[in-house]
Amino acid sequence: AAGSQSILLSNLTGSAEAFATQAVTSDGANWLSVTPASGTATPSQATTLTVSVSSTGLAAGTRQGIVTLFSQDGSVRTVNVIYVLAAGGVTSQRTAPAYPIRETTAGSCTPTKLLPLLTSLGEQFTVPAAWPNTLQAQVVDDCGNPQVSGTVVASFSNGDPPVPLISLKNGSWTGTWQITNNASSNIAVTVNADDPTLGISGTTSVSGSLQNSVNAPVIAAGGVLNAASYAPSAPLAPGAMISIFGSNLANGTTPVNTFPLPEQLSGTLVTIGGEPAPLLYAGSGQINAIVPFGLAANTNTQVIVRQGNAYTAPIAITLAAAYPSIFTTSGSGTGQGVIIRPDGNYAQPGTPANAGDELLIYAAGLGVTNPQATDAEPATGPPLLYTAGTATLTIGGQNARVDFAGLAPGFAGLYQINAAVPQGVHGNTLPVVLSVGTQPGPAVTMAVQ
């Protein structure tokens, strides 16, 4: 039996480059070959290389080989090959980064181990430090059957957290490696595959190096937050004003003072669930943006920041219909709320509110509106844009009359609540809780005399 697999060789330079190829097997047998042996790769068209295997004269078993590509500019690339010849079973070939082919023959085969192959990184790889890298692995057992269940986990010698790979149900497994520890330039990546149902496992490892990338954008762990509360691990909502914290997130510091809000600022683009987010501010360590209204609530999605041509690793977030959060005077998300008396003063110790006062409260994260707001545009009125969910407010544990809850006219991402102070509450640090539907937000404080 014999089989072949195609590999596409792309030339990313501006001129033609000569290349040569070589196939080497670990057992010294001549079962592996690659054609053509040499050629010229042009920038305009990819060159097809054919990797072939032959089982003539071979006993059943698993074999490894390497296809090496030598370029005129002195660069070298390697392609790992695993060849499985199962007695009376299947014959399959695994190459990196190509996909497998398989031949089926009569008979049966009982697998005894798994054979993972890291297809996205070859031996002596070089990857940019601090940037996200896609990990792809092909896993078969020693009968040539693809692994579609169990676990495949990548681990790293530099101390980065292990990355569980996700099965694509065809023997391919994938994940994203965000390099965070670049203290050492040399690194080994190990892939462990396990199928507890069959009681078999296997491992493989490749070594390479990290290329220093001090300007790579990075979102801090837990760094996507409601801009009013900064509550950790809290859900966000469509229309919410959010803050994204990290490093190298923007090229410069740029606030926005005009509408419509831009989708790109200081070379930075933010996507949430694949949709570009309107930007309010972009700085190296912080971005303020608005979650697009069209995203579905009660779902999990991802935030990605692109700075120039570099991308952060995706950060998972949860979207809820609402997570109402009142802004605070300290900007910390806790303590005295941005709760304003009729005379324009904060309802705080020294200038407390009185029973019956009509308060003006500013918040974020109250969700979609009716009529529906338009992304990147300021709220208008009339008609006022009321929250689609019913807003309620308690002060000192007592229900307050809510006269309006919706987007503040003339602003984007900023919600306004008009409410009256109930009778019978007194104190300098009364808890104030804003809810939309059944979802309460974190408590802030105010003063009532």
Side-chain angles (χ1 to χ4, degrees):
S4 64
Q5 173 71 61
S6 295
I7 299 174
L8 290 180
L9 175 62
S10 297
N11 181 356
L12 302 182
T13 69
S15 58
E17 291 280 346
F19 69 88
T21 63
Q22 182 184 49
V24 177
T25 62
S26 59
D27 59 3
N30 294 322
W31 54 265
L32 178 65
S33 62
V34 56
T35 57
S38 61
T40 301
T42 62
S44 60
Q45 185 175 3
T47 300
T48 299
L49 305 179
T50 301
V51 178
S52 302
V53 295
S54 173
S55 62
T56 303
L58 297 181
T62 301
R63 294 169 174 80
Q64 297 185 1
I66 296 177
V67 172
T68 306
L69 313 177
F70 304 92
S71 177
Q72 177 183 344
D73 65 3
S75 61
V76 178
R77 297 291 185 271
T78 59
V79 178
N80 296 322
V81 178
I82 292 180
Y83 180 44
V84 180
L85 180 59
V90 295
T91 302
S92 69
Q93 173 187 343
R94 283 292 185 273
T95 62
Y99 288 97
I101 62 170
R102 180 178 298 115
E103 302 172 58
T104 304
T105 62
S108 62
C109 177
T110 300
T112 61
K113 60 183 176 181
L114 291 171
L115 305 169
L117 184 65
L118 193 58
T119 59
S120 56
L121 298 175
E123 195 66 41
Q124 303 304 315
F125 65 83
T126 300
V127 294
W131 288 25
N133 290 270
T134 298
L135 295 176
Q136 292 181 330
Q138 293 282 335
V139 188
V140 295
D141 60 34
D142 54 353
C143 290
N145 304 305
Q147 181 191 2
V148 297
S149 61
T151 61
V152 177
V153 179
S155 57
F156 314 96
S157 63
N158 68 336
D160 279 348
V163 174
L165 305 187
I166 298 172
S167 174
L168 302 182
K169 303 303 181 181
N170 61 357
S172 298
W173 296 71
T174 186
T176 300
W177 170 29
Q178 173 67 61
I179 301 173
T180 57
N181 187 350
N182 57 2
S184 174
S185 60
N186 298 318
I187 188 170
V189 179
T190 301
V191 175
N192 292 290
D194 181 58
D195 190 335
T197 301
L198 298 177
I200 56 177
S201 61
T203 187
T204 189
S205 182
V206 295
S207 298
S209 60
L210 302 181
Q211 198 173 48
N212 189 26
S213 301
V214 295
N215 295 321
V218 177
I219 299 176
V224 183
L225 303 168
N226 181 294
S229 67
Y230 298 132
S233 304
L236 304 175
M241 187 186 301
I242 63 171
S243 293
I244 302 171
F245 296 97
S247 58
N248 301 313
L249 296 176
N251 182 18
T253 301
T254 309
V256 176
N257 300 309
T258 59
F259 293 102
L261 298 177
E263 294 178 353
Q264 296 192 52
L265 196 62
S266 296
T268 294
L269 171 74
V270 176
T271 58
I272 304 176
E275 297 292 329
L279 300 180
L280 295 159
Y281 170 85
S284 177
Q286 179 178 346
I287 297 170
N288 292 338
I290 299 175
V291 179
F293 279 103
L295 296 178
N298 303 315
T299 60
N300 295 319
T301 189
Q302 293 180 327
V303 176
I304 299 174
V305 175
R306 188 192 77 192
Q307 163 46 225
N309 294 322
Y311 292 81
T312 64
I315 300 297
I317 62 169
T318 298
L319 289 178
Y323 187 76
S325 301
I326 298 173
F327 283 93
T328 58
T329 57
S330 66
S332 66
T334 61
Q336 174 65 46
V338 177
I339 302 173
I340 303 171
R341 305 188 320 174
D343 62 1
N345 289 314
Y346 289 126
Q348 61 186 355
T351 56
N354 296 296
D357 279 353
E358 185 78 9
L359 303 173
L360 177 61
I361 302 171
Y362 289 111
L366 276 67
V368 298
T369 62
N370 185 21
Q372 179 63 280
T374 301
D375 286 339
E377 296 288 354
T380 58
L384 294 174
L385 303 183
Y386 286 81
T387 57
T390 301
T392 57
L393 184 77
T394 62
I395 299 175
Q398 300 296 315
N399 290 325
R401 186 187 75 240
V402 175
D403 298 316
F404 171 74
L407 284 172
F411 295 90
L414 181 67
Y415 292 82
Q416 172 182 322
I417 299 91
N418 295 88
V421 178
Q423 299 291 330
V425 292
H426 304 280
N428 284 331
T429 56
L430 293 174
V432 180
V433 177
L434 176 63
S435 302
V436 174
T438 60
Q439 177 63 64
V444 298
T445 64
M446 68 173 292
V448 178
Q449 66 181 4

